[in-house]
Amino acid sequence: MPEGYRFGRLEIHPSERALRLDGAPVALGARAFDLLLALVERRDRTVSKHELLDQVWAGLVVEENNLQVQISTLRRLLGSAAIATVPGRGYRFTMAASPQLSGAELPTPAGTHLHAPPSALPSALPSARPSSQPATQPPAQLPPLIGRDDDRAALADLLAAHRLVTLVGATGMGKTRLAQHLLWSQREALEHGVAWVELAPVTDVGQLVGNLAAALGLRTGDGEPLAALVRSLRPLAVLVALDNAEHLVDAVSTVAQALLDGCPQLRLLVTSQTPLKLEAERIYRLGGLGLPAAADTPLSAAEALRHGAVALFVERAQAADRRFRLDEGNVAIVVDICRQLDGMALALELAAARVPLLGVAGLRSALADRLRVLTGGHRGAPPRQQTLRAALAWSVGLLSPVEQRVFCRLGVFAGGFTLELARQVAADPPGSGPIDEWGVLEALGALVDRSLVGVDGEATPRYALLASPRLLALERLDGSGELEAVRERHARAISTLFADRDADLQAGRLGHDPFVRLLEPELDNARAALAWSLPNRPAWAVALAPALTLALGGSRSPERLAVWDQTAAAVDTALPLAQRARWHLGAGRPQTIAATTRLGWLRTALALYRELGDPLMVHRAIADLLSMAAHLEEAEREALHAELLALEQAARARGTLSARQQFFGQQAEAFYRAARGELAAAEAANQRMLGLAEAIGNSSAKVTVLNNLADSALAAGRVDEAVRRGRERVASLVASRDRAGLAYARLNLANALLMQGDAAGAREQAALGAPAAALFALEHDWADVLAGLAAQEGRPRTAAHLCGHADAAYAGRAEVRERNEARIRAQAEAAARAALGDAEFAALREMGGGLDFATAARLALGDDDTA
């Protein structure tokens, strides 16, 4: 066979310009063949639409739909999966090469991308010659440019190096103001100055050329207009800004190319919601104004004002009401307003104008209805910038009908989405409409180009609508009557995604950390899907719950508990056995749930998995039950442990004993041995768990095991080691996102410090850790430690109160004290009884039983010892 390419049954012969399938010739048009070659040659990467147009239609001006037609032709021939669309990026050939692939070099089409000749433009101007006056400058009185110093500098550098720069961004981001300030700063840099051309009122290419000539002060005579403009501009060194080009992209592209080709000293700055897609173009994408990063500690007013969005809001609020000041009392509200508005300059200005009427707290509450509230722009602004709704409607109005429908459907996503999710949700159901999955991808690409959808990430792009456009999308989706149907598709897609990934996790096909990385970006979508499914499709909510709670992580314990509470009523015998079993297994794990409830759910899970005959999940349910070994009767505990070992032996004999199964087996072993008082064996099991946590890619489990090892050292009486380990754990977790791990580490360290006699160190950890106890259901554990702290500090009355509070907390949860907590509780009681006597201790202990945790913690961390 001649040199070429083979992909399974498909052969491509570049030298013959031939395509064969199973050896038989396949008829294919010349353009389609060239396009196929271009994609095959670059199959190691995504190829942009612009690059493909240049390669396949070299030297010609064609519309993008020509490319789409040829792509569709190839997909019909090769299969829809052969060429992947990456919205906002381009296309990629995805068929796998056969081993016989030859290393043929494909010819690269030569030539450059030429645009329509001047004769293609309508005549409107006579011939022209340059005026002796410099070009028209932007207004001298400009509003201040706030928060864009870095953007202005970067844009100036880009314009100094390239003759065509397009400032691209969503509506209302402040493109015009930034361009005006840049032009004003450049007015002396070029011999013939700068010119500003407003394109919003321009409706055709003839007006465009005429307005451009007028802005440049050119006198014109007879002749073809664009050619005359090019001749007149040829000797001039001038910077021209074309503002708001998004509705005239094709015309502006044609004129810009002609000017660049014929005017060597000309530089162009274009503002637009979409690029011009010219070879010489350099794009500067403008996002929202700077926002403070989320932080655990509140920002001061001075710190907040360093961020552009806050600075602009405050400046505009003070312009509307000179009495307004940003201070420590309102800074958190103002920052939240700026975040809700995505740093969009127009929205911030419109919002600030409402401060005199609503106040910042009222304004924040009203932002849920921002399309009605954010009105009343400056009188001199164009009508489309008078209200937020008008600005967004202008952008959406430039879309095709299909693009508008896809835009509205994408509004159901919360927090962004992937390509696959967009396909499932925004496409018409099969046979019900014209928008298929490929139509969604093409529309998504257009939305990215027009800055209505943002895209982030290279290997796995993630897409998102900003908050304000999303509200408009949802409003229009509701008006079209599609909202509920699209929400249903969204809930189904998200529930299926989470349930499938959970199945992969349980089977060991996916590690815990990759599982979290995959699903954490979809948490907002999962919350929305759960809220819709609960009243409409409760079975989907039940399917979603286990993976959702795992992806939430230990640091969101209250939300995890709420998910189990919300879905519990939907778990009934009508659900499939496997779904019911998985729900009960997941619900039985969180330590924030009372012990008796957890035991009941885990026993139900075990019974259901036995009924299903699933030995892997039977093993898992037993392991989770044995993690509560201290709450089990001896007979049940021993029987479960024997069954666990038998299941592991059988799996080992079959060669199916995975590292994940071993991890849960060792977890059960550690708790089982601790309940029997075999502390050395329990610690050895924890050590084995540490290596297995690494093997299965579970960093949160590693944190838990390291905390447990510090606790084991204390239980074994190695107090100094426990303190050392505890300090290491706290130091490593302080800067992490693992608030749950940090909460347990502080608890263990405070207990160890008390056993070491370091009450001051224990108080420091208690002051930092006890306020977060309720988030992780650690109130009963901290109650014992706080009682020990009060006793060591010589405050026996407070210690007696806290002993009573701790006893009531354990009784309320039906919990059994672990060894270290029992020891410090016993020491606190002994010290308090010795100081007070039995009668007073008993009375104060009884009173303490009625305290809530917040009051108990306040007593413990106080200085006095009043009754």
Side-chain angles (χ1 to χ4, degrees):
M1 130 179 183
E3 282 194 336
Y5 294 87
R6 175 174 292 169
F7 301 92
R9 300 159 52 211
L10 178 72
E11 299 173 9
I12 305 170
H13 302 271
S15 59
E16 302 175 23
R17 295 186 62 77
L19 192 69
R20 295 191 179 97
L21 189 63
D22 293 331
V26 177
L28 190 64
R31 295 293 184 199
F33 189 85
D34 288 343
L35 177 59
L36 178 60
L37 282 181
L39 288 168
V40 167
E41 183 183 36
R42 299 159 179 81
R43 63 190 179 276
D44 61 330
R45 60 182 175 87
T46 300
V47 190
S48 71
K49 295 177 185 178
H50 177 62
E51 184 177 352
L52 289 172
L53 288 168
D54 279 353
Q55 291 293 329
V56 179
W57 286 271
L60 298 175
V61 177
V62 295
E63 297 292 334
E64 276 192 17
N65 63 347
N66 286 276
L67 176 60
Q68 295 163 8
V69 167
Q70 300 301 334
I71 289 286
S72 297
T73 298
L74 293 174
R75 282 174 173 156
R76 283 195 297 272
L77 175 66
L78 307 178
S80 60
I83 301 173
T85 300
V86 184
R89 297 286 192 268
Y91 299 98
R92 184 167 184 172
F93 189 79
T94 56
M95 293 182 71
S98 299
Q100 299 90 344
L101 176 65
S102 172
E105 291 293 330
L106 297 183
T108 302
T112 57
H113 192 166
L114 301 179
H115 290 258
S119 59
L121 298 169
S123 296
L125 295 174
S127 59
R129 62 182 179 82
S131 166
S132 59
Q133 299 299 318
T136 304
Q137 296 182 353
Q141 298 297 321
L142 291 174
L145 184 67
I146 297 175
R148 295 293 191 191
D149 290 346
D150 290 345
D151 291 307
R152 179 170 58 185
L155 193 58
D157 290 344
L158 198 60
L159 198 56
H162 303 282
R163 295 179 59 213
L164 171 61
V165 175
T166 303
L167 180 57
V168 174
T171 184
M173 283 299 172
K175 300 184 294 294
T176 295
R177 186 169 301 176
L178 175 57
Q180 287 176 334
H181 276 266
L182 178 64
L183 223 66
W184 185 255
S185 69
Q186 298 287 313
R187 66 191 184 280
E188 305 295 339
L190 295 173
E191 181 182 354
H192 297 100
V194 298
W196 181 266
V197 184
E198 170 57 57
L199 300 183
V202 176
T203 59
D204 59 51
V205 72
Q207 290 183 9
L208 169 60
V209 174
N211 285 16
L212 184 55
L216 289 162
L218 299 176
R219 295 194 297 272
T220 57
D222 295 331
E224 195 283 322
L226 183 54
L229 182 61
V230 170
R231 286 194 301 271
S232 301
L233 272 174
R234 186 170 292 123
L236 298 184
V238 63
L239 169 60
V240 178
L242 304 177
D243 188 38
N244 294 306
E246 54 269 0
H247 63 302
L248 289 171
V249 170
D250 291 340
V252 172
S253 298
T254 299
V255 171
Q257 188 66 55
L259 293 175
L260 291 172
D261 290 343
C263 308
Q265 300 182 82
L266 174 76
R267 292 183 181 275
L268 288 173
L269 173 64
V270 180
T271 74
S272 176
Q273 293 174 26
T274 184
L276 302 184
K277 299 183 179 179
L278 297 178
E279 184 177 356
E281 180 184 34
R282 293 299 180 269
I283 297 168
Y284 189 89
R285 291 198 175 270
L286 190 67
L289 286 160
L291 292 163
D296 293 331
T297 56
L299 280 177
S300 69
E303 290 170 331
L305 280 169
R306 297 192 187 106
H307 300 273
V310 177
L312 178 62
F313 179 88
V314 170
E315 191 272 338
R316 289 290 83 204
Q318 289 174 342
D321 182 355
R322 61 182 179 82
R323 298 167 298 176
F324 179 79
R325 293 290 181 274
L326 186 71
D327 56 35
E328 310 313 311
N330 63 19
V331 63
I333 297 175
V334 169
V335 168
D336 187 42
I337 289 170
C338 295
R339 285 188 178 131
Q340 287 195 51
L341 296 176
D342 297 307
M344 183 188 294
L346 175 62
L348 291 168
E349 293 190 7
L350 294 172
R354 290 297 193 186
V355 168
L357 176 65
L358 301 174
V360 290
L363 174 63
R364 178 169 65 174
S365 300
L367 286 183
D369 200 16
R370 70 191 66 174
L371 297 180
R372 294 176 183 267
V373 172
L374 301 187
T375 60
H378 296 296
R379 293 185 185 276
R384 62 188 173 81
Q385 293 181 358
Q386 293 283 343
T387 70
L388 182 60
R389 182 189 297 278
L392 295 172
W394 159 269
S395 298
V396 175
L398 299 174
L399 302 173
S400 71
V402 167
E403 291 163 357
Q404 290 191 33
R405 290 184 70 185
V406 171
F407 166 75
C408 293
R409 291 173 180 179
L410 294 176
V412 300
F413 286 106
F417 50 91
T418 62
L419 290 180
E420 179 60 25
L421 287 173
R423 262 190 340 108
Q424 294 178 49
V425 174
D428 290 319
S432 67
I435 305 177
D436 61 11
E437 61 182 57
W438 302 111
V440 170
L441 297 184
E442 295 298 334
L444 182 55
L447 294 173
V448 170
D449 283 346
R450 290 199 169 273
S451 305
L452 282 166
V453 169
V455 58
D456 191 21
E458 291 295 332
T460 306
R462 186 166 182 81
Y463 303 86
L465 276 70
L466 295 179
S468 297
R470 179 172 178 259
L471 287 177
L472 181 66
L474 287 172
E475 181 183 275
R476 293 191 173 189
L477 189 65
D478 191 21
S480 72
E482 283 196 321
L483 181 59
E484 282 306 300
V486 178
R487 278 185 168 156
E488 182 175 11
R489 296 205 293 269
H490 174 266
R492 181 193 295 114
I494 296 299
S495 176
T496 301
L497 170 68
F498 274 64
D500 287 351
R501 295 295 79 74
D502 181 67
D504 291 339
L505 176 68
Q506 301 309 321
R509 295 186 294 268
L510 184 65
H512 184 272
D513 290 350
F515 168 89
V516 172
R517 285 195 297 271
L518 279 170
L519 295 188
E520 194 170 34
E522 308 299 347
L523 285 179
D524 285 339
N525 280 319
R527 293 174 179 118
L530 181 69
W532 187 90
S533 298
L534 282 168
N536 296 292
R537 296 277 191 162
W540 295 358
V542 173
L544 178 61
L548 173 55
T549 53
L550 284 174
L552 284 168
S555 294
R556 299 184 183 95
S557 287
E559 186 177 0
R560 295 171 74 183
L561 181 59
V563 171
W564 296 122
D565 286 344
Q566 291 165 2
T567 53
V571 183
D572 57 35
T573 55
L575 293 176
L577 273 179
Q579 196 172 0
R580 288 160 50 202
R582 181 67 188 97
W583 186 93
H584 282 93
L585 181 70
R589 283 188 60 77
Q591 293 183 343
T592 50
I593 297 173
T596 51
T597 303
R598 292 172 60 203
L599 283 170
W601 282 340
L602 289 174
R603 286 172 176 139
T604 300
L606 178 56
L608 291 170
Y609 280 126
R610 281 175 171 157
E611 188 175 348
L612 283 165
D614 186 339
L616 175 65
M617 297 310 290
V618 167
H619 177 277
R620 174 64 190 281
I622 292 173
D624 283 0
L625 269 169
L626 284 173
S627 72
M628 301 185 68
H631 297 81
L632 300 176
E633 294 294 335
E634 182 179 357
E636 182 183 12
R637 184 179 68 215
E638 296 300 325
L640 287 172
H641 184 253
E643 185 177 0
L644 185 86
L645 296 180
L647 286 167
E648 290 180 2
Q649 184 176 1
R652 189 176 289 109
R654 293 192 303 269
T656 61
L657 185 64
S658 67
R660 179 177 173 81
Q661 190 173 2
Q662 291 179 65
F663 174 85
F664 287 109
Q666 290 304 309
Q667 173 186 279
E669 187 73 13
F671 283 103
Y672 168 76
R673 296 297 175 186
R676 288 166 56 99
E678 300 168 4
L679 299 185
E683 189 169 0
N686 271 309
Q687 288 286 2
R688 290 190 291 273
M689 281 176 67
L690 191 59
L692 289 165
E694 293 271 13
I696 64 175
N698 192 334
S699 56
S700 64
K702 181 179 176 181
V703 168
T704 299
V705 174
L706 287 170
N707 282 341
N708 288 346
L709 286 170
D711 203 41
S712 296
L714 183 61
R718 304 193 305 274
V719 177
D720 290 344
E721 179 188 339
V723 169
R724 176 182 57 77
R725 285 181 175 270
R727 291 194 186 282
E728 289 172 353
R729 299 307 308 133
V730 169
S732 68
L733 290 167
V734 162
S736 76
R737 297 172 55 197
D738 191 350
R739 297 171 62 200
L742 179 60
Y744 282 94
R746 289 197 188 280
L747 173 68
N748 290 341
L749 177 56
N751 204 339
L753 288 166
L754 287 175
M755 298 304 295
Q756 198 180 53
D758 184 358
R763 171 178 277 269
E764 179 184 2
Q765 294 304 317
L768 293 168
L775 292 175
F776 309 105
L778 293 175
E779 298 100 323
H780 57 296
D781 300 285
W782 269 110
D784 284 332
V785 173
L786 294 175
L789 174 64
Q792 283 200 18
E793 290 182 337
R795 294 183 290 133
R797 293 177 178 82
T798 301
H801 278 112
L802 293 171
C803 284
H805 169 70
D807 293 346
Y810 275 93
R813 289 177 52 86
E815 292 282 355
V816 177
R817 278 187 172 89
E818 295 185 17
R819 186 176 302 271
N820 292 330
E821 283 69 31
R823 183 185 299 164
I824 199 65
R825 163 66 176 75
Q827 289 184 4
E829 178 172 343
R833 281 187 184 277
L836 302 173
D838 292 345
E840 186 177 2
F841 173 82
L844 294 175
R845 175 185 174 278
E846 184 176 356
M847 291 173 60
L851 297 176
D852 59 42
F853 181 75
T855 303
R858 190 164 58 250
L859 286 174
L861 298 174
D863 295 325
D864 59 13
D865 191 37
T866 61

